[in-house]
Amino acid sequence: MEFRGDATQRIAMISAHLQPSFTSSQMEEKNTVMGRENCRGKGGKAGFKVAVLGAAGGIGQTLSLLMKMNPLVSLLHLYDVVNAPGVTADVSHMDTGAVVKGFLGVKQLEDALKGMDLVIIPAGVPRKPGMTRDDLFKINAGIVKTLCEGVAECCPNAIVNLISNPVNSTVAIAAEVFKKAGTYDPKKLLGVTTLDVARANTFVAEVLGLDPREVDVPVVGGHAGVTILPLLSQAYAAAKFADACLRGLRGDANVIECSFVASQVVTELPFFATKVRLGRTGAEEVYQLGPLNEYERVGLEKAKEELAGSIQKGVDFIRK
Ligand SMILES: NC(=O)c1ccc[n+]([C@@H]2O[C@H](COP(=O)([O-])OP(=O)(O)OC[C@H]3O[C@@H](n4cnc5c(N)ncnc54)[C@H](O)[C@@H]3O)[C@@H](O)[C@H]2O)c1
Ligand SMILES: O=C(O)C[C@H](O)C(=O)O
């Protein structure tokens, strides 16, 4: 946006731009004025179009802020069923290049998704003390289904980062929705397990007295209880997930992260978290587990048993 005219006019324009919150119709108008199809950020920099679904939540807000700060993002769509206008206003004030637009409620889901390169989904309820991630299935399964139906319709080629728990089941739900719609590309559906890697790095670094940024423990299996299997016997160097997907989309070489993906090559299970190479088309290579020690081999068997049930639960939710 250009600020022309005298000082008073400029101040009036800036003040209008800095309203603390918008009604959904005001926000709609603001988005239209800024040009919905524009994939260049402020200052005309080209970049990727990213949507965060569930942007007003605990994970969503922080994630949105980090995406706004990411130089690979030119357009950032923030969607939620509540509070999207206020969060959008706040995030948009960050003095970085990405243009931020807000979308409130299911009527605006289509506009939130149209033309996106990367869709990140932290929408849904989090667990309370005493709950397992699987206890969230009842509510989050339906939320993920609706949002993925939107993705299939509006941006079938987008890479999807699925954060909503239980990841071990919601990834299978998303896959079934995309299969039904005829848009499923296993390379583009990635369950986010990066937190497990970050935790493993932090704990290992603590024990060994190292800088956590110099440690990277691959964590395989899934994202719940015994399915989280850190391979402490293998260590390599670190990076972060949505940013890694964007660097892959840009065509950077050797972008390798752990993620919960479709992967018949690693175990007999249809989905499994392991190291993947991210590229222009998503998870372009799924790596084998590598040598495991005895402790890890026992853990793997336990992980596979629980994972099989969680994956099937997600599949049945759509098929039955
Ligand atoms: N994979 C991971 O590593 C990881 C890490 C942390 C949290 N999580 C999961 O992420 C999810 C969100 O956690 P949180 O702490 O941000 O919860 P939160 O309650 O703070 O936020 C969830 C947001 O989702 C929104 N939402 C609910 N239904 C929606 C719908 N139909 N469409 C769009 N948005 C909707 C809510 O309005 C809310 O703003 C939980 O399921 C949590 O378990 C996963
Ligand atoms: O533990 C949770 O419920 C949220 C997330 O999956 C986590 O690992 O912190």
Side-chain angles (χ1 to χ4, degrees), residues 53-54 56-60 79-82 122-127 136 140 143 147 162-165 167 192 195 223:
L53 311 184
I59 301 299
Y79 171 85
D80 205 299
V81 289
V82 296
V125 291
R127 58 186 171 143
L136 305 172
N140 289 354
I143 293 173
L147 297 176
L162 199 37
I163 297 175
S164 316
N165 272 316
V167 167
V192 178
L195 191 50
H223 178 66

Side-chain angles (χ1 to χ4, degrees), residues 10-301:
R10 283 201 300 275
I11 289 167
M13 258 178 106
I14 292 168
S15 311
H17 194 55
L18 292 183
Q19 282 169 8
S21 63
F22 301 91
T23 63
S24 58
S25 63
Q26 280 172 321
M27 192 154 67
E28 181 67 16
E29 194 186 333
K30 178 171 177 274
N31 290 347
T32 308
V33 168
M34 294 183 89
R36 202 169 264 131
E37 300 310 320
N38 182 8
C39 69
R40 288 183 178 270
K42 293 167 188 166
K45 268 197 170 172
F48 294 105
K49 293 173 274 184
V50 176
V52 179
L53 311 184
I59 301 299
Q61 288 196 38
T62 313
L63 183 62
S64 300
L65 188 68
L66 292 169
M67 286 295 100
K68 173 74 168 108
M69 292 165 70
N70 190 313
L72 291 176
V73 179
S74 59
L75 180 61
L76 181 60
H77 280 188
L78 305 185
Y79 171 85
D80 205 299
V81 289
V82 296
N83 300 335
V87 171
T88 302
D90 284 346
V91 173
S92 72
H93 297 167
M94 165 76 60
D95 54 352
T96 57
V99 171
V100 186
K101 299 175 183 178
F103 300 86
L104 181 66
V106 76
K107 282 190 185 151
Q108 296 189 0
L109 180 60
E110 195 180 321
D111 285 338
L113 289 172
K114 259 190 244 157
M116 291 296 111
D117 299 306
L118 174 66
V119 178
I120 314 176
I121 310 183
V125 291
R127 58 186 171 143
K128 296 194 173 70
M131 290 171 86
T132 65
R133 293 179 182 84
D134 186 58
D135 292 334
L136 305 172
F137 186 95
K138 258 197 183 132
I139 300 180
N140 289 354
I143 293 173
V144 168
K145 174 177 181 276
T146 307
L147 297 176
C148 288
E149 284 167 351
V151 170
E153 199 184 317
C154 305
C155 52
N157 294 319
I159 288 183
V160 175
N161 287 179
L162 199 37
I163 297 175
S164 316
N165 272 316
V167 167
N168 290 356
S169 302
T170 53
V171 169
I173 291 173
E176 291 302 312
V177 168
F178 296 150
K179 280 180 201 166
K180 232 177 167 175
T183 65
Y184 183 47
D185 178 349
K187 294 198 295 297
K188 296 194 166 170
L189 174 59
L190 301 128
V192 178
T193 61
T194 320
L195 191 50
D196 303 318
V197 175
R199 284 181 180 135
N201 293 341
T202 304
F203 301 151
V204 167
E206 227 168 76
V207 171
L208 300 180
L210 296 170
D211 180 337
R213 287 168 299 187
E214 287 164 13
V215 180
D216 203 344
V217 180
V219 182
V220 304
H223 178 66
V226 296
T227 73
I228 300 171
L229 183 60
L231 300 183
L232 297 172
S233 63
Q234 303 174 15
Y236 66 105
K240 298 284 170 266
F241 200 70
D243 177 65
C245 282
L246 293 172
R247 284 185 286 116
L249 274 175
R250 184 170 64 179
D252 290 11
N254 297 322
V255 183
I256 295 164
E257 288 287 319
C258 284
S259 179
F260 187 60
V261 292
S263 94
Q264 278 88 354
V265 295
V266 177
T267 69
E268 62 280 18
L269 295 172
F271 297 96
F272 200 79
T274 187
K275 280 192 253 178
V276 300
R277 185 176 51 76
L278 299 164
R280 287 192 200 280
T281 63
E284 295 184 341
E285 194 172 351
V286 176
Y287 293 100
Q288 297 288 344
L289 287 177
L292 304 187
N293 62 27
E294 182 54 22
Y295 176 82
E296 290 162 350
R297 274 195 294 276
V298 171
L300 177 65
E301 290 314 308

